[in-house]
């Protein structure tokens, strides 16, 4: 059975590690502190202390690069930053990959890479972008960096807004006024984010780019109100006047065509857990 390393046992990486381990894979992951390592080990998850500052730092992190498959789940720190620090981190990470036994890499990106402008058709993976039109220059540079001159098979996943568990859309707008709610959402549930990465590994879908977005796109207002109702949160006090034509939508047809079936195809049906 393949050994899998997950760089970043965070909100996405941790449930992914648990899921892969339950399926019989040998999993090792990284976290940033020794205290977290102890907590994860107590839960039966093998982990090592590893961080990028932007150079590698930690204890025994070489074990991460002994796996055949690596999953990178570390996002840029902030949209407001230039992103140069993040790119430097990835350069160090790629250098270690190039000198390791890793043969396959899943790189988690974001649908934020697509242009911010609306269009009549959904954005697909085949949409041609360059630095001048991308919605996020850091993400575009990151994908280019990991794709060029590599020694591994690479699959990129561009996830939409990650929701589920304690991430409740209604929580962020509870009691607020004049909330924008007329646009349609490109969300994905945590279970499906984990599911898609697992599916790619199990089906050997390498050297591809996939969008990870629930195929149904309700209005943001509908999702906010429904998630608030489902979790007992106060809804927004008011929304902006409705508008028409908000169509910056992302297609998930490509991953569906591979046979993947969404656990939560509609964000109005997402499950949450505020007790965490």
């Amino acid at each position: 059975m393949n050994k899998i390393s997950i760089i970043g046992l965070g909100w996405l990486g941790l449930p992914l590690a648990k899921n892969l381990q339950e399926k019989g894979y040998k999993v090792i992951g990284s976290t940033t502190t020794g205290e977290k390592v102890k907590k994860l080990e107590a839960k039966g998850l093998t982990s090592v202390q590893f961080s990028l500052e932007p150079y590698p730092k930690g204890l025994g992190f070489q074990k991460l690069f002994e796996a055949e498959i690596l999953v990178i789940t570390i996002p840029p720190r902030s949209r407001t930053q230039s992103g140069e620090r993040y790119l430097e981190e990835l350069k160090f990470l790629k250098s270690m990959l190039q000198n390791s036994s890793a043969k396959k890499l899943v790189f988690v990106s974001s649908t934020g890479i697509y242009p911010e402008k609306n269009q009549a058709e959904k954005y697909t993976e085949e949409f041609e972008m360059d630095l001048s039109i991308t919605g996020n220059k850091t993400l575009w540079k990151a994908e280019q960096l990991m794709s060029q001159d590599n020694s591994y098979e690479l699959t990129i996943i561009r996830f939409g807004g990650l929701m589920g568990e304690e991430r409740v859309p209604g929580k962020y707008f509870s009691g607020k006024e004049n909330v924008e709610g007329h646009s349609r959402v490109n969300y994905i549930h945590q279970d499906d984010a984990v599911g898609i990465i697992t599916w790619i590994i199990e089906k050997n879908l390498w050297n591809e780019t996939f969008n990870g977005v629930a195929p149904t796109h309700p209005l943001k207002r509908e999702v906010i109100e429904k998630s608030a109702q489902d979790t007992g949160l106060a809804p927004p006090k008011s929304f902006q006047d409705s508008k028409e034509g908000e169509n910056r939508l992302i297609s998930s047809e490509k991953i569906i065509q591979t046979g993947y079936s969404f656990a939560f195809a509609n964000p109005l049906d997402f499950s949450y857990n505020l007790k965490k």
Side-chain angles (χ1 to χ4, degrees), residues 3 5 34 37 39 50 61 72 75 95 110 113 120 123 125 132 146 150 173 175 182 190-191 196 203 208 214 269:
K3 183 177 180 181
S5 287
V37 168
K39 289 181 179 179
F50 176 65
F61 59 80
I72 299 177
S95 176
S110 165
I113 196 171
Y123 284 106
E125 296 86 347
S132 67
M146 302 309 293
N150 57 39
F173 304 98
H182 58 268
Q190 185 188 63
D191 287 0
I196 287 174
K203 300 300 179 181
E208 298 282 358
D269 300 326

Side-chain angles (χ1 to χ4, degrees), residues 9 29-43 45-51 53 57-60:
L9 291 177
S30 75
T31 189
T32 54
T33 68
E35 183 181 353
K36 290 179 181 178
V37 168
K38 291 179 182 178
K39 289 181 179 179
L40 291 170
E41 295 284 351
K43 296 179 180 179
L45 292 168
T46 303
S47 62
V48 295
Q49 186 178 345
F50 176 65
S51 59
E53 302 185 2
K57 185 178 180 181
L59 295 171

Side-chain angles (χ1 to χ4, degrees), residues 62-164:
Q62 292 80 5
K63 295 177 183 177
L64 294 167
F65 300 93
E66 296 171 358
E68 180 184 349
I69 300 173
L70 268 81
V71 182
I72 299 177
T73 68
I74 50 175
R77 294 287 189 274
S78 171
R79 286 186 176 184
T80 61
Q81 296 175 348
S82 66
E84 291 307 313
R85 166 65 181 264
Y86 176 67
L87 296 173
E88 285 299 313
E89 292 174 357
L90 290 183
K91 286 177 184 177
F92 278 105
L93 196 52
K94 182 176 179 178
S95 176
M96 288 184 284
L97 276 168
Q98 299 280 49
N99 294 295
S100 75
S101 59
K103 303 298 181 185
K104 300 169 182 176
L105 171 66
V106 175
F107 181 71
V108 173
S109 184
S110 165
T111 55
I113 196 171
Y114 292 110
E116 294 179 356
K117 67 178 182 178
N118 303 325
Q119 63 173 17
E121 300 295 326
K122 291 183 179 181
Y123 284 106
T124 69
E125 296 86 347
E126 286 69 40
F127 181 84
E128 293 187 9
M129 283 178 287
D130 58 34
L131 195 59
S132 67
I133 65 170
T134 179
N136 188 308
K137 289 180 168 57
T138 298
L139 284 175
W140 188 86
K141 289 178 180 178
E143 288 192 11
Q144 295 297 306
L145 171 64
M146 302 309 293
S147 299
Q148 295 170 354
D149 302 319
N150 57 39
S151 60
Y152 43 80
E153 294 185 274
L154 169 69
T155 287
I156 296 170
I157 311 175
R158 296 168 177 166
F159 283 128
L162 290 159
M163 298 294 171

Side-chain angles (χ1 to χ4, degrees), residues 214-265:
T216 305
H217 307 271
L219 291 173
K220 186 176 180 180
R221 175 173 183 164
E222 296 173 327
V223 176
I224 291 172
E225 290 180 326
K226 178 65 161 50
S227 64
Q229 179 183 5
D230 290 346
T231 54
L233 293 167
K237 292 181 178 179
S238 64
F239 286 90
Q240 295 177 9
D241 292 337
S242 61
K243 299 179 182 178
E244 300 294 335
E246 294 293 327
N247 294 315
R248 186 189 176 277
L249 301 179
I250 313 298
S251 171
S252 56
E253 187 59 30
K254 184 176 177 180
I255 192 66
I256 292 172
Q257 288 179 352
T258 69
Y260 181 77
S261 178
F262 278 82
F264 295 94

